[in-house]
C-alpha cells in the first residue's frame, strides 16, 4: 500500500509541471499569514509535512528561518524544491518518508500540513499520523493544518480524501491539541477552478 502511494506521488511529480497541479500556489499566502499571526522568531523550528514542491520553504529561507525541514513521500517533489533553492537547499533538512509510518526523532515548534492529512481516509492511518505528530511536537508547539472543507472536492490528484470542517478537524487532534483559530479559504487552481479549504491553528497543551 505504501509503495503504491509512493509510486503514485513519484509519478505525479515526474510527469507534471509544479505550477500545473491543482494545489499549486504561486505564493503560499494562507500559511505565511498564519505564521505572521503567531509572531514566531526565525529561530523557531518548522516542519512542512507533505511539503512537496511548495515554495513555503523558499519564503521562509528568505525570511531567515534557520531550522526548516520538508518531509514528503515523493523524492521527486523534494528534488524540484531543492533545485529551485539552489545553494539555499543546504539550509533545509529534506526527508523522504510516509508520515503515517514515520517516527520523528526530534520536536518542532511548528508542524505545517497543507493538503496531506486529508488523504488519510482510514482510521488507522490517522492514528499513525497522530502518533507521529505527538512524537514530533511538545507543549507549546503549533500545528497549522489545511484540508478540503465539507464543500471541497471529494478527490485530489485522483485519490479520495476525507473532508473536514473546523470542529471535525480539531477533534482529530483532541485532547492533546486545542483549537486556537480556524478559517476557510477558496483556493483557485491553475485551471481556474475553486476549491474550499478548511484551515486550523492548534496549540499543543
Ligand atoms: C496535495 S499535495 C500538497 C503539497 C504541499 N503541501 C502544497 O501545499 O503545495 C500532497 C502532498 O503530500 C504528499 N504526501 C501524500 N501522502 C503522503 C504521506 N503519507 N506522507 C508524506 N507525504 C505524503 C504528496 O507527495 C504531495 O506532495
Amino acid at each position: 500500500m505504501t509503495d503504491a502511494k509512493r509510486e503514485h506521488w513519484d509519478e505525479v511529480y515526474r510527469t507534471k509541471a509544479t505550477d500545473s497541479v491543482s494545489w499549486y500556489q504561486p505564493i503560499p499566502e494562507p500559511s505565511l499569514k498564519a505564521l505572521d499571526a503567531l509572531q514566531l522568531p526565525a529561530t523557531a523550528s518548522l516542519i512542512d509535512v507533505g511539503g512537496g514542491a511548495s515554495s513555503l520553504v523558499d519564503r521562509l529561507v528568505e525570511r531567515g528561518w534557520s531550522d526548516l525541514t520538508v518531509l514528503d513521500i515523493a523524492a521527486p517533489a523534494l528534488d524540484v524544491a531543492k533545485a529551485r533553492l539552489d545553494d539555499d537547499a543546504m539550509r533545509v533538512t529534506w526527508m523522504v518518508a510516509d508520515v503515517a509510518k514515520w517516527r520523528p526523532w526530534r520536536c518542532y515548534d511548528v508542524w505545517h500540513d497543507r493538503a496531506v492529512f486529508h488523504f488519510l481516509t482510514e482510521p488507522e492511518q490517522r492514528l499513525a499520523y497522530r502518533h507521529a505528530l505527538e512524537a514530533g511536537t511538545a507543549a507549546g508547539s503549533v500545528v497549522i493544518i489545511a484540508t478540503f472543507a465539507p464543500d471541497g472536492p471529494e478527490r485530489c490528484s485522483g485519490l479520495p480524501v476525507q473532508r473536514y470542517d473546523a470542529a471535525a478537524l480539531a477533534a482529530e487532534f483532541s485532547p492533546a491539541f486545542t483549537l486556537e483559530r480556524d478559517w476557510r479559504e477558496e483556493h483557485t487552481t491553475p485551471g481556474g477552478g475553486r476549491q474550499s479549504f478548511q484551515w486550523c491553528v492548534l496549540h499543543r497543551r
Side-chain angles (χ1 to χ4, degrees):
M1 184 60 185
T2 293
D3 279 348
K5 265 198 280 182
R6 183 176 48 73
E7 281 162 20
H8 170 85
W9 289 107
D10 281 2
E11 179 74 3
V12 167
Y13 284 103
R14 280 207 201 96
T15 57
K16 292 187 194 292
T18 306
D19 61 0
S20 72
V21 292
S22 59
W23 55 92
Y24 173 72
Q25 323 167 93
I27 302 169
E29 268 170 9
S31 307
L32 292 172
K33 280 188 185 156
L35 286 167
D36 285 345
L38 290 164
Q39 297 189 309
L40 295 164
T43 50
S45 53
L46 178 144
I47 182 163
D48 192 7
V49 172
S54 165
S55 62
L56 177 62
V57 66
D58 309 45
R59 302 288 79 81
L60 295 178
V61 166
E62 271 171 15
R63 292 172 173 212
W65 282 57
S66 55
D67 188 351
L68 295 167
T69 300
V70 183
L71 176 146
D72 203 278
I73 199 168
L78 301 185
D79 290 343
V80 171
K82 284 184 208 172
R84 200 179 53 223
L85 277 161
D86 201 5
D87 286 348
D88 283 338
M90 288 185 305
R91 298 169 183 263
V92 177
T93 301
W94 305 94
M95 280 194 241
V96 177
D98 178 341
V99 64
K101 300 236 164 169
W102 177 60
R103 279 294 163 272
W105 52 270
R106 58 166 292 192
C107 288
Y108 301 90
D109 298 316
V110 183
W111 177 288
H112 177 271
D113 169 344
R114 173 177 180 265
V116 184
F117 182 71
H118 67 191
F119 288 110
L120 307 181
T121 53
E122 299 299 327
E124 58 272 20
Q125 297 171 329
R126 294 195 289 275
L127 182 63
Y129 181 102
R130 277 202 298 279
H131 285 156
L133 172 61
E134 288 179 13
T137 53
S141 294
V142 180
V143 177
I144 301 171
I145 186 162
T147 65
F148 283 160
D151 57 334
E154 290 178 7
R155 301 178 83 82
C156 179
S157 188
L159 301 174
V161 299
Q162 182 82 37
R163 298 173 294 176
Y164 296 90
D165 62 15
L169 191 51
E172 289 287 334
F173 304 107
S174 176
F177 294 85
T178 52
L179 180 62
E180 173 151 309
R181 210 156 74 77
D182 61 86
W183 68 99
R184 286 170 47 94
E185 177 217 354
E186 291 301 315
H187 167 66
T188 304
T189 69
R194 306 280 284 172
Q195 296 181 330
S196 302
F197 272 83
Q198 177 64 56
W199 287 81
C200 286
V201 174
L202 305 132
H203 260 98
R204 179 133 188 210
R205 292 171 188 269

